[in-house]
Amino acid sequence: ILVTPLDVIKTRLQAQGNPFNKGRCFVYNNGLMDHIRICENGDSKAWYKKPGHFKGTMDAFVKIIQGEGIKSLWSGLPPTLVMALPTTVIYFSCYDQLSEALKSRLGKEDERIPVLAGSLSRCIAVTVASPLELIRTRMQYRRVSYKQLYVCVSSKVATDGWVSLWRGWTSTILRDVPFSAMYWYNYERLKRTMCKEAGVHEPTFLIAFTSGTVSGSIAAAITLPFDVVKTHMQTELWESKTIKDPQRDGKSTWAVMRKVVAKNGITGLFAGMVPRLCRVAPACAIMISTYEYGKSLFSHVNEKINQVS
């Protein structure tokens, strides 16, 4: 809720050099997962309405409010919250379980544990969430019954195979796995160091918040080029058959990256750096500190219950 306006601004800044056609879809990421949004198509649920021309973060902030109203800064929030629940549950549950399993094999202090656990848990979360995201997008794009949805998905699978439900998986993994690996490695290391200096065994809310902010900022800055590429890659599943793009096939992550560099230079791969850092840093901090606090709280509750019983 707090960082959604920065999601909107970041996507507008990245996409203004590669505007989306009316009626099409595109992907953006909020630090936790991908979300597919629909361009203007006469539906009130359309997310991307006006390409605009923005000089920077504050310029975009002011122009969006003036031209579209302040509510536009929270576009796409409801479906974001709906998809956040299963994705976050899978992501954090897998990370904790994999961490415990690796500790028994590699030792508790092994620095490879957060890298391996973070990478594998993100792979699992992305793989599970991708088909759900595409199905939800189809339901947003046009009101359909579950029977019609089943027919639509079945025909798509029959035409392009099951792999079509995971389109964009590779570029998502290329961005999210390094992000998760760097994030968890830096987070666990900073948390351990700060706990040692503070003389505590468990991270306080402030320690978790600070560690999450720093580690999220580092990971976001390094993986930004792949986030830019994902913004430029227009997903064309579920769109009208009347819209044809002969270049859509075979447009790989690397091809899009080369195109961005050729058009805007190497700096084009780092478009939206400021709003991404401003968004991902607090998002990661709020996410991990709340999670650590909740985990500690329920752990103490369980201990009291066990003592009583």
Side-chain angles (χ1 to χ4, degrees):
I1 292 172
L2 293 174
V3 300
T4 293
L6 292 166
D7 268 331
V8 174
I9 292 170
K10 178 192 72 71
T11 303
R12 298 293 184 91
L13 286 171
Q14 288 181 352
Q16 63 182 352
N18 183 36
F20 301 106
N21 293 326
K22 183 176 180 179
R24 293 197 175 183
C25 307
F26 70 101
V27 177
Y28 87 99
N29 178 270
N30 70 349
L32 274 174
M33 71 210 81
D34 279 335
H35 293 287
I36 299 176
R37 294 289 173 261
I38 300 160
C39 305
E40 185 180 17
N41 63 347
D43 190 334
S44 61
K45 293 182 180 179
W47 190 88
Y48 187 88
K49 296 182 179 180
K50 297 179 181 179
H53 180 71
F54 311 116
K55 298 178 182 178
T57 302
M58 286 306 299
D59 185 55
F61 182 80
V62 173
K63 286 182 177 177
I64 290 172
I65 292 177
Q66 290 177 342
E68 304 172 41
I70 195 167
K71 287 184 178 181
S72 292
L73 292 175
W74 278 270
S75 299
L77 179 60
T80 297
L81 295 177
V82 170
M83 282 301 295
L85 181 59
T87 306
T88 308
V89 168
I90 294 169
Y91 185 38
F92 279 94
S93 298
C94 288
Y95 178 79
D96 272 344
Q97 295 300 317
L98 288 169
S99 293
E100 291 302 318
L102 290 170
K103 284 177 184 177
S104 63
R105 291 176 176 270
L106 303 176
K108 292 184 177 180
E109 301 299 323
D110 197 305
E111 293 189 345
R112 292 174 294 176
I113 291 174
V115 175
L116 293 172
S119 300
L120 290 171
S121 60
R122 176 53 88 182
C123 281
I124 295 169
V126 168
T127 302
V128 172
S130 290
L132 297 175
E133 180 69 43
L134 292 175
I135 290 171
R136 182 181 62 81
T137 302
R138 175 56 181 170
M139 296 187 75
Q140 279 189 310
Y141 188 77
R142 187 180 295 113
R143 290 186 179 181
V144 293
S145 66
Y146 285 104
K147 184 177 180 180
Q148 291 172 317
L149 181 64
Y150 174 77
V151 171
C152 182
V153 173
S154 299
S155 62
K156 189 65 185 176
V157 171
T159 303
D160 300 329
W162 286 99
V163 72
S164 63
L165 297 179
W166 281 270
R167 182 170 294 179
W169 182 87
T170 302
S171 52
T172 305
I173 290 296
L174 284 172
R175 183 201 57 212
D176 287 5
V177 168
F179 181 96
S180 294
M182 286 183 284
Y183 174 78
W184 287 109
Y185 174 80
N186 289 319
Y187 173 75
E188 295 289 357
R189 193 164 187 174
L190 284 168
K191 181 179 74 172
R192 189 162 54 246
T193 301
M194 294 180 72
C195 284
K196 188 176 180 180
E197 291 181 356
V200 294
H201 296 290
E202 293 183 353
T204 62
F205 187 87
L206 182 60
I207 289 174
F209 192 91
T210 304
S211 301
T213 301
V214 175
S215 56
S217 298
I218 294 171
I222 294 174
T223 59
L224 179 60
F226 288 107
D227 187 55
V228 173
V229 169
K230 283 293 291 183
T231 302
H232 279 263
M233 292 181 71
Q234 302 173 26
T235 58
E236 302 187 9
L237 290 175
W238 319 118
E239 65 181 8
S240 173
K241 292 181 180 179
T242 59
I243 302 176
K244 296 180 180 180
D245 183 358
Q247 297 181 344
R248 70 179 181 177
D249 297 324
K251 189 176 284 187
S252 67
T253 300
W254 304 112
V256 174
M257 188 173 287
R258 287 194 298 270
K259 182 180 177 181
V260 172
V261 173
K263 186 176 182 179
N264 302 315
I266 195 70
T267 56
L269 293 175
F270 294 89
M273 172 71 84
V274 173
R276 178 165 165 82
L277 288 177
C278 290
R279 171 182 55 82
V280 173
C284 288
I286 293 168
M287 175 181 68
I288 196 64
S289 55
T290 305
Y291 178 73
E292 290 280 15
Y293 179 80
K295 191 163 64 172
S296 176
L297 175 65
F298 285 114
S299 177
H300 290 136
V301 170
N302 287 337
E303 287 179 5
K304 291 181 180 179
I305 292 174
N306 290 332
Q307 289 174 359
V308 172
S309 58

